[in-house]
Structure formats: C-alpha cells, structure tokens
Amino acid sequence: MKRLSLRALPARVLPVLALAAPAVVALGAAPASADAAPVSFSYADCPDSLPVGADPGSWICDNIVIGAGSTMKIGSIEQTLTKPISMTVQSGSDAATGETRNIFVKMRSQQEDVPGGVLGVAGTENIPLLSLKEKTTYAGNFSLGFTASGGYGSTIDLRIKIINTLLGDNCYIGSKTAPLKLSLEGDNDSLTWYDDAIGMTMNDTAFAAPATSGCGLFGPVADFRAGLPSASGKNAASLRLYLSSKPYTELFPAMKAAAKSSASKTMLPMGLPQSLKPGS
C-alpha cells in the first residue's frame, strides 16, 4: 500500500473513510442520513497530551467503531460480531511538516462466543470445558493510503485471543511477529454520512491466517479445530466501520489557551476537511 498524507491527495481524489480508511468516491452521490449512527462513541481513551509542538487547535480525537454484524472467516471458524470493537486515534497537523498525522492509541474489544465451541459442533459451546471464546487484539501496522487499484484502504495487524480453560491465558491465532495482516478496501456503495459519523464497509479476502501461538500442548489441537494455518484466499473480513471525532479543545478545555488556530472545528474524522461533506 502506498502511504501518503491526506494533505497530499490530488484534487480529483475525494477521501472519505479509513479503518480508519477512506474510499475514492464522488461524495456528492454518497447517501446521507439525518439519523445518528447505530453505535455509541466514547472518547475516554483520548490522551490528554499531543505530540511535541502540536497546536491543540488543529488536532482531533477519532473514535472508530466496528459494528455488530461484521464478519470474519479465519480458517474453518466463521465469526459474526455481536459486540462492537472500538479504536481511538489522534489526528492533526504535524508541527514540522504541516501534513496530517494519524496516531493509533488503543483498541477495546470484548469476548465473543465461538459457534460450535471446542468441537465445532453446534450446541456444544455452552457445555463446560467445551466452550470457546475469542477476543480481538491490536498488533500494530495501522495506516491509511492508496490501494494497488487506486482506491483507498487501511492496514491493521491483529491477533485473536482464543479462550478456553485448557488453553491457558496466552493462546492466540497469530503471534507478535506473525499476526493476521489485514489490508482492507472500502466498498464505495456502502458509504453513509450520518448526523454524527461516517460509515463504510471495508473488506479483505486475500489475507493469510497463521497458526496459533502460546497454546502449549494443545496448540496442534487448536490449529486443527481452527483449520490453521490457512492460506490467502481462504479467509475473509467484512467490517462495518463508523467513525466520529471531537476537537481536542472541546475534549480538554484547558488546551484552548495554547491553541493557535481553530482548524479542528471544521475537521472531519481522520483530519478530513468539513468542506468534503455533502451539503456543507
């Protein structure tokens, strides 16, 4: 993926959303909704500090929510999210270059029941010792930029924690050195402007899924149950993302005194200018 700053985008390219990732679309044709996004946003993880030399008036804090109903197929396990995953990102103007920076802060996720449990048999997931849960964790490499086809996409590395009494507390699909490496592309037709957010569905059907790590003696069993490792083309992710933001001077009023501009008041999530929003 070619990485570049939003400021460097050619005028003919109109960015919208990332995984934060935008997609190349004609924004005037994007469906708009007067309703609020169907998820809740939180800014509790927004740091109360900015990079050295940053102007608080040109920085915002983004909250990205992967909504319930999003799906992931990893090996032989197909999972539909029933609980949202949230991510916090700082966005603003770099003091030295003037280009937009996006700094990943934190991911929050909850345990999800894996259908079929340990045996992969429907209905056994609620039996003690046979239940299996998973929890998505961040492993690095967050970015946004152009995809190879000229659209927009986002990269993010993940590890999936596998939870069962017999597997210990350090069993994951993927490892710190060999995580799941997603390279998501936006579905232009799914773009929606909500009253308080931007929404888009992002997809990846080309990532490979590595074997488990940290599962001890039961590692081979976990790999067999999950069908791992799983080659590129046999896995899929379809994530519905909702992205909202607030200016740093609103989140932390004490920063107003140090603000040199008020640019953040007209910035969309990920540092996009308000002028890109339909009807603005």
Side-chain angles (χ1 to χ4, degrees):
M1 176 179 292
K2 177 184 176 185
R3 296 188 179 98
L4 75 169
S5 72
L6 294 175
R7 183 175 179 177
L9 296 178
R12 64 184 178 82
V13 176
L14 299 180
V16 185
L17 176 67
L19 178 99
V24 177
V25 293
L27 291 187
S33 172
D35 298 327
V39 296
S40 298
F41 298 102
S42 171
Y43 299 92
D45 290 328
C46 295
D48 60 0
S49 61
L50 294 170
V52 175
D55 173 10
S58 63
W59 279 77
I60 59 177
C61 191
D62 308 295
N63 189 226
I64 305 143
V65 176
I66 302 175
S70 297
T71 61
M72 288 192 72
K73 180 183 182 299
I74 301 174
S76 60
I77 294 179
E78 297 187 25
Q79 188 78 38
T80 298
L81 296 184
T82 62
K83 303 168 186 176
I85 297 172
S86 68
M87 295 174 283
T88 298
V89 178
Q90 293 176 302
S91 299
S93 178
D94 185 274
T97 66
E99 296 183 349
T100 298
R101 290 182 62 188
N102 297 307
I103 303 171
F104 193 94
V105 177
K106 188 170 186 175
M107 171 182 282
R108 287 187 179 272
S109 64
Q110 302 175 65
Q111 294 183 9
E112 294 268 8
D113 292 321
V114 176
V118 170
L119 300 179
V121 177
T124 64
E125 57 265 29
N126 297 319
I127 300 175
L129 293 182
L130 297 183
S131 69
L132 192 65
K133 299 180 183 293
E134 62 84 13
K135 188 175 188 291
T136 303
T137 63
Y138 178 69
N141 196 37
F142 170 81
S143 71
L144 66 88
F146 284 121
T147 64
S149 60
Y152 273 85
S154 176
T155 64
I156 189 169
D157 292 353
L158 302 171
R159 290 198 300 159
I160 310 298
K161 186 171 185 178
I162 305 301
I163 303 163
N164 173 272
T165 303
L166 300 177
L167 296 177
D169 194 44
N170 197 39
C171 182
Y172 289 85
I173 295 176
S175 64
K176 291 181 179 179
T177 56
L180 291 164
K181 301 183 74 68
L182 299 188
S183 183
L184 296 144
E185 296 189 20
D187 174 4
N188 295 357
D189 294 334
S190 71
L191 173 68
T192 305
W193 291 88
Y194 295 96
D195 179 60
D196 59 344
I198 307 169
M200 177 179 279
T201 299
M202 307 290 289
N203 304 298
D204 183 2
T205 57
F207 67 95
T212 58
S213 66
C215 304
L217 295 176
F218 291 95
V221 177
D223 286 336
F224 179 78
R225 163 65 178 94
L228 301 173
S230 180
S232 172
K234 295 184 178 181
N235 313 290
S238 182
L239 309 179
R240 180 62 180 175
L241 306 181
Y242 302 90
L243 195 152
S244 190
S245 66
K246 284 188 177 182
Y248 252 87
T249 51
E250 178 181 336
L251 290 170
F252 302 99
M255 290 189 176
K256 290 181 179 179
K260 299 176 182 178
S261 73
S262 58
S264 62
K265 294 181 179 180
T266 58
M267 289 167 63
L268 293 176
M270 302 306 297
L272 303 177
Q274 183 72 25
S275 60
L276 293 181
K277 186 172 183 179
S280 62

